[in-house]
Amino acid sequence: IRNIEKLFKPKYKNLDAKGKLPIRINVMVDVLDPNWQQVLKQGTYESKSQKLAINSVKISADGALGSRGAALIEAYSDKPNHFGLMLHDEKKLHQLIKTTMEAGFQANTHAIGDSANHIVLDDYIALIEETKSRKQRHRIEHAQVLTTDDLHKFSKYGIIASMQATHATSDKNMAETRLGSERIKGAYAWK
């Protein structure tokens, strides 16, 4: 959520304090919010009712598969010489993840393409060890297209693949065209 301070403090906290928060809300701080690091300095938060928490940070690594913005290791099957895009260079992405983990927050990084997932997984593996933050149960949001070599890393390092089944159905008419018959085997790879 952008401008977290404006929304989080008055609205959600007040509703929770009055016992009028009808559902549990886990607020994710967005790294695009200019105040995100100030929120991290305040530390994680959980209300007495346990209905309101702020303990995670949303980071976006790449774009979407449908728009050919997902960062791929090999070019799109239906668009030669196009590999998608990373939204941050690798050094900046690493620093965003590190800052999140060092502050004791859960990193929730959007990664759809196999290149983006590989980069984020490698950062997570190195930084979880460095920051001793495995207990935060860091997540890769979507984890949509992976190499078969990267699939095992989630369970081995305690990383959550936060997958949305609806993406498999919404992408069914174009995913194999974008990825090809071999690479699609590492996409939507659920048991």
Side-chain angles (χ1 to χ4, degrees):
I1 293 177
R2 296 209 182 132
N3 294 318
I4 191 79
E5 287 298 303
K6 290 179 185 173
L7 180 62
F8 182 68
K9 277 188 178 176
K11 189 170 186 176
Y12 292 149
K13 280 188 175 180
N14 287 341
L15 284 171
D16 186 56
K18 293 175 184 174
K20 294 185 176 183
L21 197 59
I23 59 171
R24 291 179 190 268
I25 297 177
N26 189 342
V27 178
M28 265 192 264
V29 179
D30 189 330
V31 297
L32 297 178
D33 184 315
N35 299 316
W36 79 280
Q37 290 190 50
Q38 286 78 16
V39 175
L40 267 59
K41 287 177 185 174
Q42 295 173 24
T44 60
Y45 171 84
E46 186 170 6
S47 67
K48 290 179 185 179
S49 70
Q50 297 184 326
K51 283 194 168 184
L52 181 61
I54 178 167
N55 58 18
S56 59
V57 175
K58 177 69 180 264
I59 304 164
S60 292
D62 66 346
L65 188 62
S67 64
R68 295 184 189 88
L72 300 178
I73 294 168
E74 295 180 18
Y76 278 78
S77 295
D78 62 347
K79 190 169 184 180
N81 300 315
H82 183 74
F83 297 84
L85 67 136
M86 292 295 290
L87 300 176
H88 305 281
D89 65 49
E90 289 186 42
K91 185 177 179 181
K92 169 85 175 193
L93 181 63
H94 181 87
Q95 190 58 49
L96 292 170
I97 295 168
K98 183 177 182 177
T99 299
T100 298
M101 290 182 179
E102 286 179 337
F105 282 68
Q106 179 189 59
N108 296 332
T109 306
H110 162 111
I112 290 184
D114 54 5
S115 180
N117 275 288
H118 181 76
I119 291 165
V120 173
L121 278 166
D122 283 355
D123 275 348
Y124 276 18
I125 291 165
L127 290 169
I128 286 169
E129 176 66 27
E130 182 182 322
T131 62
K132 308 292 186 226
S133 65
R134 186 174 176 140
K135 70 181 186 299
Q136 262 69 44
R137 302 188 70 224
H138 304 291
R139 300 179 353 193
I140 294 184
E141 299 297 320
H142 315 305
Q144 210 164 307
V145 183
L146 292 130
T147 65
T148 53
D149 290 339
D150 281 339
L151 284 172
H152 75 282
K153 293 177 182 177
F154 287 91
S155 62
K156 183 175 181 179
Y157 295 98
I159 299 165
I160 297 171
S162 179
M163 304 162 98
Q164 294 74 33
T166 189
H167 290 173
T169 58
S170 64
D171 293 356
K172 70 181 177 181
N173 294 329
M174 60 76 185
E176 190 166 353
T177 303
R178 298 274 191 278
L179 300 171
S181 60
E182 281 305 305
R183 193 167 33 186
I184 194 73
K185 294 175 183 174
Y188 321 100
W190 310 311
K191 286 188 176 183

